[in-house]
Amino acid sequence: MTAASNVYPTAALQAADAAHHIHPFTDTKALNAEGTRIITHADGVWLTDSEGNRILDGMAGLWCVQVGHGRQEIADAVHKQMSELSYYNTFFKTTHPPAVALSEKLAEIAPPHMNRVFYCSSGSEANDTVFRMVRYYWDQMGQPDKKVIIGRWNGYHGSTLAGTSLGGMKGMHEQGDLPVPGVRHIDQPYWYGEGEDMSPEEFGIHVARKLEAAIDEIGEDKVAAFIAEPIQGAGGVIIPPETYWPEIKRILSERNILFVADEVICGFGRLGRWFGSDYYDLEPDLMPIAKGLSSGYLPIGGVLVSDKVAEGLIDKGGEFYHGYTYSGHPACAAAALANLEIMQRENIVDYVATDIGPYLKERWTALGEHPLVGEARMAGLVGALELVPEKGNRKNVFADTGTVGTLCRDISFQNGMVMRAVRDSMIISPPLVLSHDEADQLVAIAHKTLDDTYAELKRQGKV
Ligand SMILES: *Cc1c(COP(=O)(O)O)cnc(C)c1O
């Protein structure tokens, strides 16, 4: 369908949506007053809305559409699978070809010490699985006192009870008395916001040692695991200082606790390697995955486990009372498999590492010259701009955190591109198939959006 003929009854759809649909992570009352945007089609990196506008999808949906929108090959694989076997479970001593093939494929692309996967339908479920799995593991290993899981403030691990608890979003914790017992949080490696007078290198070591202090305070014999995203996504694309992960690795190597690298965003090529753990050489024991696994075409997630974890989980014997009706769902597995085959055939991971990643990074980081931008950062194809009232002063931030970010996000939408706002920083995480020309358009729209936002803030007397 061409953009011109893509006209929907926007007002009627908005009214029905307002009457009946509760949106995730949304002030629904405020949204309903404003009217939601209606996306009707998407192709490659472009979205089309119900008014026929074309919008550059700078967020790859929600960090997930690695291979771009509208891949007929994935739709066909799902159609074929649903015609043959649309559903069967994997509980009762049964499996099916797509689950087998996907598991084999994941073992092929995962780090060499990870050869097994447990399936679920989302990143949140993957982290709920992690929560139960690490405790079960230590029970099986004869150390049932090892129960505490250490996460990080401003980390994101999903929105279920365990996901919210493992994550460190204080606003989420406040709604419903979370975290659940048995979770501790340490500081994040957010140099721009929290590094004070330290250099990034000093701060990386300093903040990594919070893990050492926490384990030693709780007692190594009581700590089950440490969970972290290689680069924090929802927390604002927080790229740790170069010293951070090596120091964390040293601390973990001296202590017998499991390490969980949440790969829900960093996995599947986002950083120009198959996994963020490859990018930072992390050697985790467990890797929750979702999002880019199927490029979002159908919901599927999982937890990849190391051979060491498999020892407790499998070799020691016994039934782990855990699973989901849709664990390894055949149509979702078929979608994921088709997605990974496209990524391999088109060398998309290398394209990010050696071509479009460096190409966009050069242009994106140049936005750091803009008077509204305190820092522009990017790794692979995920980046952020810190918006600030006073360039060169990391301590001066806008009053009413989030207001400027939301303004800038809305202006970006009007200018024809989806960027996400986290506090007062702007985030992009585009499809990995972004072309050079599209990257140029992305940067041009971002630049215009910064200019427009700056002009509006000037008008308001905020800069
Ligand atoms: C999105 C995300 C999750 C949660 O995934 P859902 O599919 O939304 O449940 C977990 N961890 C990280 C790092 C994420 O970005």
Side-chain angles (χ1 to χ4, degrees):
M1 186 176 277
T2 64
S5 62
N6 184 37
V7 177
Y8 282 70
T10 302
L13 287 171
Q14 285 174 330
D17 192 80
H20 304 297
H21 184 185
I22 303 171
H23 288 249
F25 282 97
T26 294
D27 177 342
T28 300
K29 189 174 167 190
L31 172 69
N32 290 350
E34 192 182 328
T36 181
R37 187 181 288 269
I38 300 160
I39 303 299
T40 57
H41 294 77
D43 185 36
V45 305
W46 297 96
L47 309 170
T48 307
D49 73 10
S50 56
E51 305 285 278
N53 298 308
R54 261 161 68 85
I55 305 158
L56 207 171
D57 186 4
M59 281 303 296
L62 208 42
W63 324 82
C64 56
V65 188
Q66 319 298 72
V67 298
H69 297 275
R71 292 276 191 159
Q72 191 61 38
E73 184 178 338
I74 302 181
D76 289 345
V78 171
H79 181 264
K80 178 167 179 289
Q81 183 55 46
M82 292 194 91
S83 313
E84 285 171 13
L85 176 73
S86 52
Y87 175 71
Y88 197 70
N89 70 70
T90 49
F91 282 33
F92 309 135
K93 300 186 181 175
T94 58
T95 191
H96 44 68
V100 176
L102 180 60
S103 308
E104 213 173 13
K105 177 67 74 186
L106 285 167
E108 176 195 327
I109 64 176
H113 70 292
M114 307 190 100
N115 290 293
R116 289 183 169 83
V117 59
F118 186 99
Y119 290 114
C120 55
S121 303
S122 71
S124 298
E125 285 182 5
N127 282 312
D128 275 54
T129 296
V130 160
F131 197 103
R132 299 201 55 212
M133 204 179 248
V134 299
R135 289 179 166 193
Y136 177 75
Y137 169 84
W138 287 115
D139 285 350
Q140 294 298 95
M141 297 304 285
Q143 292 184 260
D145 289 340
K146 284 171 83 70
K147 288 279 190 299
V148 177
I149 307 175
I150 300 173
R152 301 183 301 179
W153 293 119
N154 199 39
Y156 187 76
H157 301 297
S159 185
T160 51
L161 212 56
T164 302
S165 296
L166 295 171
M169 301 286 178
K170 288 182 181 161
M172 291 175 74
H173 289 171
E174 278 162 18
Q175 296 178 333
D177 285 343
L178 296 172
V180 296
V183 180
R184 292 280 289 266
H185 295 90
I186 58 170
D187 289 343
Q188 57 177 334
Y190 180 29
W191 174 78
Y192 188 85
E194 299 174 0
E196 306 208 334
D197 295 328
M198 281 176 261
S199 69
E201 293 71 28
E202 286 165 347
F203 179 69
I205 303 271
H206 166 82
V207 80
R209 289 191 182 154
K210 304 264 178 172
L211 176 63
E212 188 163 44
I215 299 170
D216 293 348
E217 187 212 314
I218 300 161
E220 186 183 336
D221 54 339
K222 296 206 170 52
V223 178
F226 171 56
I227 181 166
E229 303 152 83
I231 287 175
Q232 288 153 264
V237 183
I238 296 182
I239 303 173
E242 277 176 20
T243 50
Y244 181 75
W245 282 119
E247 184 65 2
I248 293 279
K249 273 190 76 174
R250 178 201 55 85
I251 293 162
L252 290 170
S253 73
E254 293 168 4
R255 289 164 181 78
N256 190 22
I257 71 169
L258 296 175
F259 173 42
V260 186
D262 185 337
E263 295 275 0
V264 173
I265 285 178
C266 294
F268 305 102
R270 179 56 59 194
L271 303 183
R273 302 290 301 270
W274 275 109
F275 295 96
S277 295
D278 302 324
Y279 184 80
Y280 285 117
D281 190 22
L282 298 182
E283 298 174 21
D285 299 297
L286 302 100
M287 298 198 308
I289 54 175
K291 294 196 171 113
L293 166 58
S294 65
S295 279
Y297 278 67
L298 282 178
I300 183 165
V303 180
L304 281 158
V305 304
S306 65
D307 297 337
K308 172 181 151 185
V309 170
E311 187 196 332
L313 202 62
I314 300 168
D315 302 348
K316 296 276 177 191
E319 178 178 347
F320 179 32
Y321 303 119
H322 177 66
Y324 305 99
T325 302
Y326 300 137
S327 284
H329 190 289
C332 302
L337 193 61
N339 172 58
L340 297 179
E341 282 168 358
I342 290 172
M343 291 192 68
Q344 286 187 316
R345 192 177 63 234
E346 298 182 4
N347 289 317
I348 289 175
V349 180
D350 278 349
Y351 177 64
V352 173
T354 62
D355 189 334
I356 193 63
Y359 184 87
L360 183 61
K361 182 175 180 173
E362 191 186 327
R363 288 153 182 80
W364 181 258
T365 49
L367 295 172
E369 303 299 315
H370 195 279
L372 192 55
V373 178
E375 183 182 74
R377 54 180 180 264
M378 176 162 271
L381 271 194
V382 61
L385 303 171
E386 298 271 359
L387 306 187
V388 292
E390 184 193 350
K391 211 172 166 61
N393 182 356
R394 286 179 16 243
K395 289 182 184 145
N396 191 359
V397 296
F398 287 111
D400 279 337
T401 303
T403 317
V404 171
T406 306
L407 172 73
C408 187
R409 184 195 63 191
D410 291 349
I411 291 173
S412 178
F413 238 124
Q414 283 158 23
N415 287 339
M417 179 164 78
V418 181
M419 284 197 276
R420 179 167 171 181
V422 176
R423 298 179 300 277
D424 292 317
S425 53
M426 304 313 298
I427 306 301
I428 55 157
S429 173
L432 307 184
V433 294
L434 190 78
S435 68
H436 286 207
D437 178 52
E438 288 159 346
D440 292 344
Q441 293 183 61
L442 184 155
V443 173
I445 298 174
H447 201 239
K448 175 168 173 15
T449 298
L450 290 170
D451 286 347
D452 293 352
T453 306
Y454 193 62
E456 175 59 22
L457 292 174
K458 270 222 147 101
R459 205 184 58 75
Q460 296 177 10
K462 288 187 178 165
V463 288

